Amino acid sequence: MATVVNIDLMGDLQKFGAADVNACFSCGNCTAICPLSDNDATFPRRVIRYAQVGLTDELLGSKELWTCYHCGLCSDSCPTQADPGEFMAAARRYAIASYEPTGLARVLYTKPVIGTVIAVLVAAFFATFMLTQADLGGIDAPELALFDFVPNDVVHWLGIVVMAAMFLAGAWGVVRMVRAIGKRDGVTLKDTVGSGAAWKRTLGAVWDSLGIESLGQKRFRDDCHDDQEVEPLWRRRWLVHALTIWGFLGLFGATLIDYGLELLGIKETGTPIPLWYPSRALGTVAGLSLMYGVTVFMIGRWKKWSTAQADSKGSDWLFLSLLWITGFTGFVIEVALYMSAPPAWGYWVFLVHVAVAMELMLMLPFTKFAHAMYRPVALFFYALARERSTAGA
Ligand code: SF4
Ligand code: SF4
């Protein structure tokens, strides 16, 4: 099949932040120094080369984009200041925008002012819609439970619509990514489920991707030595990253448990429950973990603690801000819930919390949050390549 060359690729990538990569003269220093580059995934020089010669399909099919954790070591050692670490981050943004079908991610990444306006409008839309359904007259009545301010059914169905839209756009993107990586790496469906040995390799790769790497952060923790020796433990990037992920997953789990308790009739929506209840205990610990991770990330970007944090884009701030607002308002609601009568401000904080949380989920396939979908898929292909090369497949 003929190779398609996209002469606009490099210019397009520069719109996503790969500003200096034209200076690259392919010396290979960056690949030699990158602690995560190996025979199963060599980068960043190879991916930069794809961009320089206009190979869009190869670029979008590079699992290597997502096996980089943006430590910045390669940028520090580049003799021409081509900033390969930032190139990898820009290429990930480009990939997110290319996988999703609507063009929204491209606007969010390349037009930060319009992106911010869209983000505000989406949150305002959710808040306004819920306000039209809210019991405004009941705010001064002490018997109005906090979560009854907006009828449960409205929040419930709005959540289902948002999750369905997020799932559709996310699934579209993941399918495109899987096809792109599978084509470049020569992996077919038969290679993954065509025999008992293939199934074994696939299950091993799933465990490696989700368990060892995504949850355990093994390579980030053990191999990325960018900050291990110099940074205090509390701000090491792998730990802050892990606490953010664990916090988010814990909150998701707490929501499911809470929902289960309601279905079983053990508790009613919005009623204060003791801190030792499984959903409350998990939610509180997970919320603290998320808030810690996001806050340290924001401080790190603000103070430019490392090369990787020195060049933050509007899209980085948007994602972190949405996560932070969701976590913070969640704790404020928790305080309001335990007061003898819900204060008036509690209802408004509840409205902001739900609107921003809905926005966060709806925007998942279009923002930096999309890492949560794409990185595990890429890590799966990475682990599969290693399993196949070990087995000589
Ligand atoms: S990005 Fe820098 S270190 Fe890497 S190949 Fe190009 S010039 Fe060499
Ligand atoms: S930023 Fe770090 S992990 Fe990413 S390519 Fe450079 S050295 Fe490797």
Side-chain angles (χ1 to χ4, degrees), residues 23-31 44-45 48 74 77-80 82-84:
C24 169
F25 68 116
S26 275
C27 70
N29 265 7
C30 48
T31 299
R45 191 194 70 87
I48 293 171
C74 54
S77 68
C78 174
T80 62
D83 204 349

Side-chain angles (χ1 to χ4, degrees), residues 30 33-37 43-44 67-75 84-85 88 224:
C30 48
I33 203 160
C34 173
L36 300 179
S37 178
F43 58 95
T67 44
C68 158
Y69 282 111
H70 203 178
C71 64
L73 275 182
C74 54
S75 296
M88 293 294 276
C224 264

Side-chain angles (χ1 to χ4, degrees), residues 5 37 60 223-224 237 245 247 259 264 267-268 273 281 312 352:
V5 173
S37 178
L60 293 177
D223 298 337
C224 264
R237 287 179 64 239
I245 294 171
Y259 192 56
L264 294 171
K267 73 176 275 286
E268 286 180 22
I273 49 176
S312 299
V352 171

